């Protein structure tokens, strides 16, 4: 296993020599210096324009403002969780349908997946906001955001599941057939549990994507975190401060989800190596 991995790494990436390592180190140092210089310049610009004044930040410690942003955060978490609960199982069903031996079912699943993978979610949201009402089909604001999230995410996670199923060693299929399991039983009892373990970190990263997609709630005026931030700007007139606070909240949540994904990935690799 390690030999194969090492060979693949050598094929995909030539290990740099001493001169190459020095060049990489130099570029890394220059990049860090440039980023720090940009941050220092931004802070200096903020300071010179009075954007760092204490009175422009202390307002975000007010209980009513925190509660207002908390409502937006709850709205964001609610649509993200509901979309994930529906989209991930639907994605698994689409992956199984695309792998099906029934040609019509496989083609229908492929059309669904390729269509919703190829179209920006913003256009799907606009379809629910503008196009469908023209035909008399209307949804509450909550569902005008959640349904497009489900449609697009189901297509992307379907490909994640399909990749996981295809990544399971072929010998597992043969072993299941050898003990008399049907193709359906082998898939449900042997292949799928292993595939889900393989793609679990990717599913958490897909959850991060869903969280980011929830920011499109502003299009349909749904009270998610970014929309609440926009409203707060109109109240405080502090655009920079409000969106920095909102950005920090998103960064913290995404960081925690990413760390969970990395920890799961490391644990699965350790378990595979031990096995």
């Amino acid at each position: 296993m390690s030999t194969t991995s090492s060979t693949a790494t050598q094929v995909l990436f030539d290990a740099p020599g001493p001169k190459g390592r020095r060049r990489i180190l130099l570029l890394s140092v220059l990049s860090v210096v440039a980023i720090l210089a940009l941050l220092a310049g931004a802070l200096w610009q903020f300071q010179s324009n009075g954007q760092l004044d204490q009175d422009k930040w202390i307002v975000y410690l007010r209980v009513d403002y925190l509660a207002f942003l908390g409502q937006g955060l709850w709205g964001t978490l609610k649509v993200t969780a509901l979309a994930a609960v529906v989209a991930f199982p639907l994605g698994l069903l689409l992956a199984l349908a695309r792998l099906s031996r029934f040609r019509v079912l496989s083609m229908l699943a492929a059309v669904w997946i390729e269509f919703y993978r190829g179209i920006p979610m913003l256009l799907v949201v606009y379809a629910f906001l503008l196009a469908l009402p023209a035909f008399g089909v209307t949804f509450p604001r909550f569902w005008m955001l959640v349904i497009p999230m489900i449609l697009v995410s189901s297509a992307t996670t379907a490909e994640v599941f399909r990749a996981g199923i295809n990544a399971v060693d072929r010998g597992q299929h043969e072993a299941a057939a050898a003990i008399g399991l049907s193709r359906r039983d082998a898939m449900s009892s042997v292949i799928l549990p292993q595939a889900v373990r393989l793609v679990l970190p990717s599913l958490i990263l897909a959850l991060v994507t869903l969280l980011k997609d929830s920011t499109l709630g502003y299009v349909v005026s749904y009270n998610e975190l970014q929309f609440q931030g926009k409203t707060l700007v109109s109240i405080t007139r502090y655009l920079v401060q409000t969106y920095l606070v909102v950005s920090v909240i998103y960064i913290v949540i995404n960081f925690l989800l990413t760390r969970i994904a990395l920890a799961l990935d490391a644990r699965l690799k350790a378990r595979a190596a031990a096995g």
Side-chain angles (χ1 to χ4, degrees):
M1 181 73 175
S2 59
T3 305
T4 304
S5 178
S6 176
T7 304
T9 302
Q10 291 175 0
V11 171
L12 295 173
F13 178 72
D14 291 330
K19 188 175 180 180
R21 287 196 294 270
R22 286 196 297 271
R23 185 181 298 113
I24 291 173
L25 178 60
L26 177 61
L27 291 174
S28 299
V29 171
L30 290 176
S31 298
V32 171
V33 170
I35 291 172
L36 291 176
L38 287 173
L39 289 175
L43 287 174
W44 180 82
Q45 193 72 15
F46 286 161
Q47 178 63 37
S48 62
N49 290 314
Q51 297 296 333
L52 298 181
D53 292 348
Q54 183 178 354
D55 60 341
K56 291 185 177 180
W57 292 92
I58 199 70
V59 296
Y60 298 99
L61 296 179
R62 286 177 46 171
V63 175
D64 53 344
Y65 284 5
L66 290 175
F68 190 74
L69 289 176
Q71 291 174 2
L73 178 59
W74 170 242
T76 291
L77 296 178
K78 188 163 58 174
V79 295
T80 302
L82 181 58
V85 166
V86 178
F88 290 179
L90 180 57
L92 176 58
L93 291 177
L94 287 168
L96 293 174
R98 190 164 189 177
L99 293 169
S100 173
R101 292 177 178 176
F102 295 99
R103 188 170 180 82
V104 174
L105 182 61
S106 179
M107 288 179 62
L108 289 174
V111 169
W112 176 296
I113 291 169
E114 296 304 324
F115 177 79
Y116 284 112
R117 280 180 67 208
I119 188 170
M121 201 188 88
L122 180 60
L123 293 183
V124 184
V125 173
Y126 274 125
F128 277 78
L129 178 65
L130 302 175
L132 292 182
F135 297 95
V137 180
T138 59
F139 293 90
R141 294 176 183 177
F142 179 83
W143 293 107
M144 281 195 288
L145 177 61
V146 172
I147 295 176
M149 290 173 67
I150 292 172
L151 294 175
V152 174
S153 182
S154 66
T156 55
T157 53
E159 290 299 272
V160 171
F161 280 118
R162 189 164 71 101
I165 293 170
N166 289 334
V168 175
D169 190 89
R170 189 64 194 170
Q172 298 292 318
H173 296 263
E174 296 170 356
I179 61 175
L181 292 179
S182 66
R183 189 170 185 269
R184 177 184 298 178
D185 291 338
M187 181 63 73
S188 61
S189 303
V190 179
I191 307 305
L192 276 184
Q194 297 182 62
V196 170
R197 284 197 297 269
L198 287 173
V199 303
L200 192 56
S202 298
L203 290 180
I204 295 179
L205 294 178
L207 191 60
V208 172
T209 301
L210 273 176
L211 185 72
K212 294 176 182 177
D213 288 342
S214 70
T215 59
L216 292 177
Y218 78 90
V219 176
V220 295
S221 299
Y222 173 70
N223 292 336
E224 44 79 38
L225 182 57
Q226 176 143 318
F227 183 80
Q228 294 291 85
K230 179 182 176 182
T231 305
L232 199 56
V233 168
S234 66
I235 297 172
T236 63
R237 303 297 179 183
Y238 298 154
L239 185 146
V240 172
Q241 291 78 5
T242 300
Y243 281 120
L244 279 176
V245 170
V246 169
S247 297
V248 168
I249 296 173
Y250 277 118
I251 289 170
V252 169
I253 296 173
N254 288 333
F255 174 78
L256 292 175
L257 289 175
T258 303
R259 295 305 301 176
I260 292 172
L262 293 174
L264 281 174
D265 190 37
R267 185 174 180 178
L268 291 173
K269 287 180 179 178
R271 183 178 297 176

